[in-house]
Amino acid sequence: MSRIGKLPISVPKGVTVAIVGQKVTVKGPKGELYRDVHVDISVKLDGDVLTVTRPSDETKHKSLHGLSRTLLANMIEGVTKGYVKQLEITGVGYKAELKPYGLLLSLGYSHTIEYKSPVGIKLTAPQPTSVIIEGPDKEKVGQVAAEIRLLRKPEPYKGKGIKYVGEVVRRKAGKAGAK
C-alpha cells in the first residue's frame, strides 16, 4: 500500500467535510474548498477521520492514491491555517503598492504593472519591497506567487527583480574589462 495514501487524515473541530459522489467539499474558518477526486479513488469519512482507498495495486492507482490523500490533507490544512508565500523585491525604484484590485508594481519598465488579485487570495505589501500572498488554496497561493515573480525574475548580475524570501540567487561576475 502507498505509504502516504494509507495515512488517515484527521478532521479538526470547526471543519466540515461533505462527500457527494466524487466531489469533496471542505469548509472551515478560512474558507471553503472543493475538489473532484479521481473516479478510481474512494474517499470515506468515519467520524472525524478521512480515509482514501484505491481499488488495486496498479502503478496508476498507487500514484493517484498518494496524490489524492495529499490534496485532501492540503485542503483541510488550508481551511484551518491557510497558506502564506512571501516575495522580496530588490532593485532601485522597484516597489509594490497595495490597491483595492490587487497590486501596482513598479519594476523598472517604462510603465507600471497592475496585478489583479484572484478570488480567495489576499495580497498585502507591508513594505514597498515585500509582498505577502495568503489564502486557503495551496495551489492558488503558489500560482499567484509564481505569476508575480515572473513579472521580473531575479537576474544573476546585480540580483535585481522579484524573488521568494529565502531564495538564493547565484550571482555571476560581470565583464572583466580592459586592463
Side-chain angles (χ1 to χ4, degrees):
M1 212 172 187
S2 168
R3 292 181 192 159
I4 294 172
K6 70 180 180 181
L7 297 173
I9 306 166
S10 62
V11 180
K13 291 184 179 180
V15 176
T16 58
V17 178
I19 303 167
V20 178
Q22 294 304 110
K23 186 174 182 175
V24 179
T25 306
V26 180
K27 290 182 189 175
K30 297 271 184 179
E32 178 180 355
L33 298 173
Y34 63 89
R35 177 174 296 281
D36 291 325
V37 181
H38 194 273
V39 182
D40 294 341
I41 302 298
S42 61
V43 180
K44 292 183 184 118
L45 180 65
D46 297 323
D48 60 346
V49 175
L50 200 62
T51 54
V52 180
T53 55
R54 65 173 189 251
S56 70
D57 284 341
E58 291 180 32
T59 307
K60 176 184 170 184
H61 290 150
K62 284 182 179 180
S63 60
L64 284 172
H65 189 208
L67 173 72
S68 300
R69 189 255 177 221
T70 303
L71 291 174
L72 293 174
N74 287 344
M75 287 169 59
I76 290 173
E77 185 178 339
V79 297
T80 54
K81 298 177 191 168
Y83 289 100
V84 177
K85 288 267 187 185
Q86 294 180 336
L87 298 174
E88 188 179 330
I89 302 173
T90 309
V92 176
Y94 288 18
K95 63 181 178 176
E97 291 179 53
L98 192 62
K99 296 288 181 183
Y101 55 81
L103 289 174
L104 183 66
L105 299 156
S106 300
L107 300 174
Y109 296 116
S110 61
H111 59 282
T112 57
I113 299 169
E114 294 180 351
Y115 185 82
K116 293 180 179 26
S117 174
V119 178
I121 298 295
K122 181 185 171 199
L123 296 173
T124 54
Q127 299 169 344
T129 59
S130 68
V131 176
I132 299 174
I133 302 137
E134 298 175 277
D137 192 353
K138 187 175 186 176
E139 286 179 59
K140 234 186 226 185
V141 169
Q143 184 64 37
V144 168
E147 287 172 1
I148 293 173
R149 182 182 180 272
L150 199 61
L151 295 173
R152 181 68 101 168
K153 288 178 22 178
E155 54 98 12
Y157 296 102
K158 292 187 178 178
K160 297 187 335 183
I162 303 173
K163 64 178 185 166
Y164 297 109
V165 170
E167 178 183 2
V168 177
V169 178
R170 291 196 53 204
R171 304 290 290 273
K172 291 182 179 179
K175 287 184 178 180
K179 293 195 180 192

